Amino acid sequence: MRAWIKLLHRVEDSLLAGLLGAMILLAGLQILLRNFFDAGLLWVDPLLRILVLWLGLLGAAVATRHDRHIRIDLLSRHLGARAERWLSAVVDQISGWTCLAVAWFSLRWVRLDYADGLTAFGAVPAWLVEAIVPVAFALIGLRFLLRPLTRALVGRGAGDTGSEA
Amino acid sequence: MSLATPLLVLLALLRTPLFVVIALAAMLGFAQIDVDLSVVGIEIYRLAEMPVMIAIPLFTFAGYLLGEGRASARLVDLTQSLLGWLPGGLAIVAIFVCALFTAFTGATGITIVALGGLLYPALKQAGYLERFNLGLLTSAGSLGLLFAPSLPLILYGVVAQQMDLDEPVAITDLFLAGILPGLLMLAMLSAYAMLQLCEAAPGQAGPRAAFDARAARAALLAAKWDIPLPFIVLGGIYGGYFAISEAAAVTAIYVFVVEMLIIRDIGFRRLPAIMRDAMVLVGGIVVILGVSLASTNYLIDAEIPSRLFATIQQHIDDRLTFLILLNIFLLVLGMMLDIFSAIVIIVPIILPIAAGYGIHPVHLGIIILANLQLGYITPPVGMSLFIASYRFDKPIMTLYRATIPFFVILLIAVLIITYWPTLSLGLVGG
């Protein structure tokens, strides 16, 4: 189990780095083509925009892992450690089910586009690029729901190597 | 919506991630007006239909690389050797360097963390009072938000463009509009820094360094790769050579080549972690923006901004009163919310209302950002206060006291910016 979680983390991290790298290269290539050859590849611009969506949602999944989502931090400083643990457990459950609901409803939309055979750009099917929405939200939701479990399994600092910023 | 609203606010106050609260609000809202909830997915996917969005991961990555390497140290050396001989020189250096750094790295607390450690001992050595140094560096952490290519400015443009206004908000207009208000803030703080010197060292011109041509040359040489960056990016954007997303790509590539291949400040082994950390921040922003596209769509469908405007108009009939209330509201909000979520949440509601009072959307953007910037240092819970307390290892009460004069100066600047639209709009559309 622990090995699987580690593997998932590695896959996520590599995907993030790979997609970001691809984005930088493609954007650079497009600028070169446009300015020096007066040309451009048609599929690069839509692909770049889709990369933003993928990067953002995967980044959000990793942010859930590191507990780095943006939230209002007013009350927690005044709560005791125990009250805070309870509160985060409840909030995690609410967050988890909300994200799963988003994943569920987006899945319905993706399946409709799949049935209609829509394409995103070129010959790339729409459902393929859209799939990141339900997949990422399902991952985020499960992560919230299973947080008590993963904490017990991998220890509190699970994968928490991110620097403070 | 009416029943659910207090519950959602409570959830947000109890540390529920904001994107969850917004997603819940959107789904509850749509369910109430019988819209199929698949719309939430469709709205999130609209993130992939906005070309400007490409700028967000690219600028963030470049900012993280700049924060990780020694660019901040070179920048301080350079400006200190060039401007250090001025009265109040070092403090003014600190103000301008922090503003430049924040514009390029986004107001994410990086400035205080990366530059604070360099400037704090330098200011102390130059003979400034500790309280002044702490206040200066704390407030400098969010200075520069109004200058291109700061992420909050871009984000305001992105959100405003979703609103279907009569006057579209071009991000390049926002970049122009921010210049004079931003400079006003820098000038007012610099003037304060000059006065400060006389108090700290009465009877003398103050601890100003003599100009050292050799040191200046060495600093210039060390920073020769960093110096072109602002010129390329700002020149490219303001000169109309690059779209914003292209400027972001050029910045990312340039910073990568300089930091990793030429100067080699940062080892390649650290690259994956830097990329991941940058994308975690991007993820946090993008997911909030995505779900807020859905909630904004609901707000417009349910005509909530226009109904709110009608209600507010019954009580407030002049623009001035509206602006005063807006200032107070934004100050409180900026203290509680980080700037990205604040923009995403309030702009869709406030923009139509402000338009009703005849406030130009570009001016409104500058008002909102200037206010939110002040929110960073508003006691008791402004974010920069806590970052500085952590970074400089000082009690939070010390920082409250140290920041007060800076807060007052910036508050005056914010009021001038709010009530003098020409300052923001003068450069736009000329």
Side-chain angles (χ1 to χ4, degrees), chain A residues 13 16-18 20-21 23-25 27-31 34-35 45-46 48-50 52-53 55-60 62-77 79 84 87-88 91 94-99 101-102 105-106 108-109 112 120 126 129-130 132-133 137 140 144 159 161-165, chain B residues 11-21 23-24 27 36-42 44-51 53-58 61 64 68 108-110 113 241-242 245-247 249-250 252-253 256 272 275-288 291 335-338 340-341 381 386-387 390:
Chain A
D13 288 356
L16 275 185
L20 179 60
M23 186 172 187
I24 296 171
L25 287 177
L29 176 73
Q30 190 79 333
I31 293 172
R34 207 163 274 162
N35 288 300
D45 286 342
L48 280 174
R49 293 198 305 257
I50 286 160
V52 174
L53 177 78
L55 267 177
L57 292 182
L58 276 174
V62 178
T64 319
R65 190 171 107 202
H66 293 279
D67 204 4
R68 290 269 299 273
H69 274 295
I70 297 172
R71 45 176 120 218
I72 299 176
D73 213 347
L74 276 182
L75 294 179
S76 62
R77 273 185 276 271
L79 286 174
E84 189 176 344
L87 182 64
S88 0
V91 163
I94 295 173
S95 308
W97 289 110
T98 306
C99 293
V102 173
F105 290 117
S106 334
R108 249 175 30 193
W109 150 68
L112 278 177
V129 293
E130 293 165 0
I132 189 68
V133 180
F137 273 91
I140 296 171
F144 276 123
T161 47
S163 57
E164 280 288 311
Chain B
L11 274 179
L13 288 176
L14 292 177
R15 299 189 77 236
T16 310
L18 286 170
F19 83 93
V20 170
V21 179
L24 257 182
M27 287 195 288
D36 187 308
L37 291 186
S38 316
V39 72
V40 176
I42 298 172
I44 293 170
Y45 186 76
R46 282 208 297 130
L47 285 171
E49 286 160 13
M50 304 179 210
M53 288 295 296
I54 298 167
I56 292 181
L58 293 175
F61 174 59
Y64 268 69
E68 195 79 13
T108 49
I110 293 181
V113 175
Y241 298 105
F242 299 140
S245 55
E246 290 176 326
V250 170
I253 293 170
F256 178 84
M275 286 175 131
R276 188 199 50 210
D277 287 348
M279 290 312 105
V280 163
L281 178 77
V282 169
I285 298 171
V286 163
V287 76
I288 287 187
V291 291
M335 177 182 80
M336 289 167 44
L337 277 178
D338 91 293
F340 300 110
S341 26
V381 287
F386 288 99
I387 296 176
Y390 173 80

Side-chain angles (χ1 to χ4, degrees), chain B residues 89-158:
Chain B
L90 189 61
I92 296 174
V93 164
I95 292 167
F96 276 81
V97 166
C98 287
L100 184 67
F101 207 69
T102 305
F104 271 84
T105 58
T108 49
I110 293 181
T111 305
I112 295 176
V113 175
L115 283 169
L118 298 166
L119 290 169
Y120 183 61
L123 284 165
K124 197 170 182 177
Q125 204 185 7
Y128 292 94
L129 294 175
E130 163 153 306
R131 186 184 279 194
F132 172 79
N133 301 342
L134 286 174
L136 179 73
L137 293 174
T138 308
S139 31
S142 58
L143 217 56
L145 273 185
L146 295 176
F147 297 122
S150 95
L151 280 183
L153 265 181
I154 297 177
L155 195 63
Y156 175 83
V158 169

Side-chain angles (χ1 to χ4, degrees), chain A:
Chain A
M1 185 69 188
R2 187 182 290 205
W4 283 106
I5 293 176
K6 283 250 162 72
L7 180 68
L8 175 66
H9 290 181
R10 189 160 294 167
V11 169
E12 284 174 323
D13 288 356
S14 325
L15 261 177
L16 275 185
L19 292 177
L20 179 60
M23 186 172 187
I24 296 171
L25 287 177
L26 282 173
L29 176 73
Q30 190 79 333
I31 293 172
L32 278 181
L33 287 175
R34 207 163 274 162
N35 288 300
F36 294 103
F37 301 96
D38 221 0
L41 297 168
L42 270 181
W43 50 271
V44 169
D45 286 342
L47 181 58
L48 280 174
R49 293 198 305 257
I50 286 160
L51 280 176
V52 174
L53 177 78
W54 279 62
L55 267 177
L57 292 182
L58 276 174
V62 178
T64 319
R65 190 171 107 202
H66 293 279
D67 204 4
R68 290 269 299 273
H69 274 295
I70 297 172
R71 45 176 120 218
I72 299 176
D73 213 347
L74 276 182
L75 294 179
S76 62
R77 273 185 276 271
H78 307 288
L79 286 174
R82 241 181 103 190
E84 189 176 344
R85 251 202 317 278
W86 272 101
L87 182 64
S88 0
V90 174
V91 163
D92 280 348
Q93 293 301 308
I94 295 173
S95 308
W97 289 110
T98 306
C99 293
L100 285 187
V102 173
W104 171 254
F105 290 117
S106 334
L107 186 64
R108 249 175 30 193
W109 150 68
V110 174
R111 285 174 62 183
L112 278 177
D113 280 3
Y114 176 78
D116 291 347
L118 296 180
T119 55
F121 61 95
V124 180
W127 67 267
L128 189 65
V129 293
E130 293 165 0
I132 189 68
V133 180
V135 168
F137 273 91
L139 186 59
I140 296 171
L142 287 175
R143 220 160 234 167
F144 276 123
L145 291 179
L146 299 179
R147 184 164 279 165
L149 193 69
T150 39
R151 257 185 203 149
L153 260 175
V154 198
R156 221 191 108 66
D160 198 12
T161 47
S163 57
E164 280 288 311

